[in-house]
Amino acid sequence: RTREQWQQVLKEMVEVRGATLSPQQVTAVLNFLDSFNQPRREIEWVETPAPPISLAFRPQEAGPLPASWVALIPRTNTVTPWAVQTDATGRLAFLAPSRPAAAGEQSLLIDNRGTVTNGTVTTRLRLASGTQPAAGIVFGFRTDQRYFGVRVGAPGPAGLLLYEIDPDGQALLGRAATTARVGDWVSLSLTLAGKEVTVAIDGKPALRRTVERYRGGHVGLVTFGETIAWFDRWSVAVR
């Protein structure tokens, strides 16, 4: 069914059959059902420099993403769509996949307004659940087999990882300790200056590395495997 047809089905379930779903739950179910009906599209990547942006998601914006966002699963022909969703109270809005990816997969959401070489990318994220929850920021994205990323996971000496993806697989570029627990909100910031990459958590520098193969590219968000993660802020400041 199309999204509109599923919407009619849910309306009948609530109004005729007595299903006890709140408006927020109806939206979550609708996003989940619609996520199985998303054809893989031909992507025209915008290669001009990205303009700055600062977003704080609002409940009234709940629903499908604008066309400037591209959701994909690297190295596959499948797509796990993302959507602007709300929590159970309906007062908090955030970006999140409509359904989790499979174990061992990464679910990417790329900001396709242009490329970033030097600048600062910031998001605020919450690891809601998952067997080994992890989520973060993608940068230097060129293809689904060539990009860099920084991920926040469970607290510990390797809770923060900086990595590179290329056709041969994944390479670890750096790691640092984190203390954030599942359920905590964390501000994650990435500053790019030439080949120098600095990662900050809650405004405090946590990791700095020289990344020789970095050449700029698109930026975006990532979740790992069955992780449920919420992102309620997104900003890109370019230099």
Side-chain angles (χ1 to χ4, degrees), residues 46-191:
V46 178
E47 297 297 340
T48 54
I53 193 172
S54 181
L55 298 175
F57 300 102
R58 301 176 297 176
Q60 57 266 40
E61 298 169 337
L65 298 173
S68 57
W69 293 94
V70 176
L72 53 88
I73 304 288
R75 303 172 187 264
T76 75
N77 289 320
T78 61
V79 173
T80 296
W82 292 52
V84 179
Q85 305 179 40
T86 59
D87 69 346
T89 68
R91 294 192 296 268
L92 177 66
F94 48 83
L95 276 174
S98 298
R99 53 187 165 91
E105 291 183 339
Q106 296 183 34
S107 180
L108 304 185
L109 183 66
I110 305 300
D111 184 348
N112 191 25
R113 296 174 307 110
T115 61
V116 176
T117 301
N118 296 302
T120 299
V121 183
T122 303
T123 189
R124 195 173 79 132
L125 67 90
R126 179 179 184 263
L127 298 175
S129 66
T131 305
Q132 294 181 312
I137 295 174
V138 167
F139 66 102
F141 179 93
R142 290 297 181 182
T143 73
D144 66 353
Q145 296 188 45
R146 289 192 182 279
Y147 59 93
F148 302 86
V150 57
R151 56 178 274 185
V152 175
L160 179 69
L161 299 181
L162 179 66
Y163 62 93
E164 177 182 2
I165 298 291
D166 66 19
D168 294 326
Q170 177 172 311
L172 179 66
L173 303 179
R175 66 178 68 189
T178 60
T179 58
R181 300 164 298 177
V182 172
D184 291 347
W185 283 101
V186 174
S187 176
L188 179 64
S189 181
L190 181 71
T191 298

Side-chain angles (χ1 to χ4, degrees), residues 156-230:
L160 179 69
L161 299 181
L162 179 66
Y163 62 93
E164 177 182 2
I165 298 291
D166 66 19
D168 294 326
Q170 177 172 311
L172 179 66
L173 303 179
R175 66 178 68 189
T178 60
T179 58
R181 300 164 298 177
V182 172
D184 291 347
W185 283 101
V186 174
S187 176
L188 179 64
S189 181
L190 181 71
T191 298
L192 307 166
K195 298 182 184 301
E196 297 299 314
V197 177
T198 303
V199 183
I201 295 180
D202 292 331
K204 298 178 181 179
L207 182 64
R208 181 178 288 109
R209 290 290 186 276
T210 300
V211 181
E212 292 294 342
R213 297 213 294 177
Y214 173 69
R215 299 290 187 276
H218 293 86
V219 294
L221 302 171
V222 59
T223 65
F224 289 78
E226 300 173 350
T227 298
I228 301 296
W230 300 354

